[in-house]
C-alpha cells in the first residue's frame, strides 16, 4: 500500500450489544472512545444487509431505526447525526443547533456526547488532542478533503480549546488506493498540494486520463500539514472487503457504516 505508514485496527468492546455488533477501532487514547461499525449485526436485507445506519440510503425506515437503536445501546447518549453534503461545514455539538444539521464535521468538548459520521467509501476521520479535552469528527470524501474539511475541523477544535496541543488523528475504513479510480477533476483538485500529493496519484496503464488515488494518504498529508503530529490509518479498504463493509463505489445502492466518537474521562 502506498503512502504513509498504516496502523491496523484492533477489536473493541463497547456496550451491552457489542457481541452482535462487530466494530473496528484504532489505538487507545486517554479520554477518548471511538469505533467504526461494519455491515454486520443488523436487521437489513440486501443490498442493505445488515447494519445500514443511513436514513437516505433507500432502505426500510424501520430497519434503519432498529439498527440505530442497536448502535445507541453501545453509547453513553444519543449521537449527533449529520445530514452530510460533501462540504466543509463544521458544527459545534455543544451549541444550540438544528436536529440534523447539514454539515460534514462536528466538534465537542463535552463528556459523553457522541458524534457520528456515516461512510461507504469516504473517510471517517477523528481528531483529538492528547489531553482528551476536545474532539472532532469529519466526513472526508475527495471533495470535502480538497475543500478543507479537515483543516476546518482542526480550526474549530483550536477555537474551542485554545490550550489544547499535541493533536492526533485516526482515519477509519475507506476506499483504498488500489480501488479508487479517478479522473483529471480529482487530480486537479489536489494540484495546489504540490508534488507530495501528486505522487499519490498513479496513472492507470492503458487508460488515458485515469489514475488510482490514495485517499487515506492524501488525508494524512493534509492533517500533518495542518499541525496534527500523529496520524493513524486503519488500512482497511471498504471497496475490496465486501464481507465487512458497504461500498457505494462497488455496489451503488447500498448501506452506510458509521464512526462514533466521544470524550470519556474514565
Amino acid at each position: 500500500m502506498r503512502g504513509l505508514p498504516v496502523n491496523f485496527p484492533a477489536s473493541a468492546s463497547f456496550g451491552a450489544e457489542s457481541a452482535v455488533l462487530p466494530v473496528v477501532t484504532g489505538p487507545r487514547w486517554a479520554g477518548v472512545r471511538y469505533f467504526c461499525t461494519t455491515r454486520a449485526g443488523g436487521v437489513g436485507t440486501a443490498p442493505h444487509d445488515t447494519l445500514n445506519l443511513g436514513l437516505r440510503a433507500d432502505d426500510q425506515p424501520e430497519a434503519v431505526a432498529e439498527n440505530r437503536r442497536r448502535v445507541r445501546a453501545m453509547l453513553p447518549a444519543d449521537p449527533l447525526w449529520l445530514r452530510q453534503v460533501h462540504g466543509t461545514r463544521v458544527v459545534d455539538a455543544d451549541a444550540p443547533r438544528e436536529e440534523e444539521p447539514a454539515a460534514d464535521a462536528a466538534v465537542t468538548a463535552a463528556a459523553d456526547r457522541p458524534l457520528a459520521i456515516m461512510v461507504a467509501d469516504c473517510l471517517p476521520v477523528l481528531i483529538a488532542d492528547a489531553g482528551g479535552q476536545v474532539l472532532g469528527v469529519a466526513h472526508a470524501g475527495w471533495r470535502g478533503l480538497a475543500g478543507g474539511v479537515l483543516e476546518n475541523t482542526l480550526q474549530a477544535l483550536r477555537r474551542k480549546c485554545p490550550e489544547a496541543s499535541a493533536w492526533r488523528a485516526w482515519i477509519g475504513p475507506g476506499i483504498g488506493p488500489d480501488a479508487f479510480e479517478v479522473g483529471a477533476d480529482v487530480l486537479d483538485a489536489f494540484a495546489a498540494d504540490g508534488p507530495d500529493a501528486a505522487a499519490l496519484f498513479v496513472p492507470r496503464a492503458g487508460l488515458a486520463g485515469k489514475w488510482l488515488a490514495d485517499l487515506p494518504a492524501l488525508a494524512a498529508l493534509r492533517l500533518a500539514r495542518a499541525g496534527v503530529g500523529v496520524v493513524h490509518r486503519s488500512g482497511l479498504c471498504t471497496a475490496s472487503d465486501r464481507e465487512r463493509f458497504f461500498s457505494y463505489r462497488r455496489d451503488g445502492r447500498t448501506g452506510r457504516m458509521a464512526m462514533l466518537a466521544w470524550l470519556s474521562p474514565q
Side-chain angles (χ1 to χ4, degrees):
M1 184 173 292
R2 303 184 302 275
L4 301 176
V6 172
N7 300 87
F8 289 93
S11 61
S13 177
F14 296 88
E17 299 199 28
S18 59
V20 296
L21 292 186
V23 299
V24 296
T25 185
R28 291 184 179 273
W29 292 349
V32 178
R33 305 286 302 269
Y34 66 100
F35 63 86
C36 186
T37 63
T38 69
R39 67 183 301 166
V43 299
T45 58
H48 302 95
D49 46 327
T50 59
L51 193 73
N52 169 42
L53 299 171
L55 288 172
R56 298 173 180 83
D58 198 26
D59 195 2
Q60 295 296 318
E62 58 271 21
V64 179
E66 171 59 19
N67 289 340
R68 289 192 174 194
R69 186 197 67 79
R70 296 185 183 197
V71 171
R72 170 63 181 87
M74 302 166 69
L75 306 172
D78 290 335
L80 172 60
W81 298 100
L82 304 176
R83 182 162 54 87
Q84 297 167 194
V85 294
H86 295 274
T88 62
R89 182 191 175 204
V90 183
V91 297
D92 186 343
D94 306 333
R97 50 178 164 70
E98 55 268 59
E99 182 69 22
E100 189 187 31
D104 287 86
V107 297
T108 183
D112 295 332
R113 177 165 288 158
L115 307 180
I117 291 293
M118 287 186 296
V119 288
D121 283 334
C122 295
L123 303 174
V125 181
L126 166 65
I127 306 174
D129 73 296
Q133 301 176 85
V134 64
L135 70 77
V137 297
H139 165 240
W142 73 263
R143 289 181 179 84
L145 186 59
V149 68
L150 298 183
E151 292 88 344
N152 288 359
T153 304
L154 186 58
Q155 289 172 7
L157 290 168
R158 285 172 166 153
R159 288 193 300 268
K160 198 164 183 63
C161 190
E163 68 274 18
S165 62
W167 298 99
R168 54 197 176 180
W170 183 67
I171 301 171
I175 193 165
D178 296 324
F180 190 36
E181 182 182 282
V182 302
D185 56 339
V186 180
L187 180 63
D188 292 344
F190 292 92
D193 288 359
D196 288 345
L200 300 174
F201 291 80
V202 176
R204 293 297 309 270
L207 291 176
K210 295 294 183 182
W211 291 262
L212 287 174
D214 193 335
L215 193 65
L218 287 166
L221 179 64
R222 284 201 159 223
L223 286 163
R225 288 179 174 177
V228 178
V230 177
V231 180
H232 299 277
R233 289 189 282 150
S234 75
L236 296 173
C237 174
T238 49
S240 62
D241 193 340
R242 184 181 298 272
E243 292 301 313
R244 267 202 290 185
F245 301 117
F246 296 115
S247 169
Y248 183 81
R249 174 68 69 102
R250 183 189 65 224
D251 298 328
R253 184 167 175 254
T254 191
R256 301 294 186 271
M257 292 88 62
M259 179 177 72
L260 289 305
W262 66 99
L263 295 170
S264 178
Q266 293 83 12

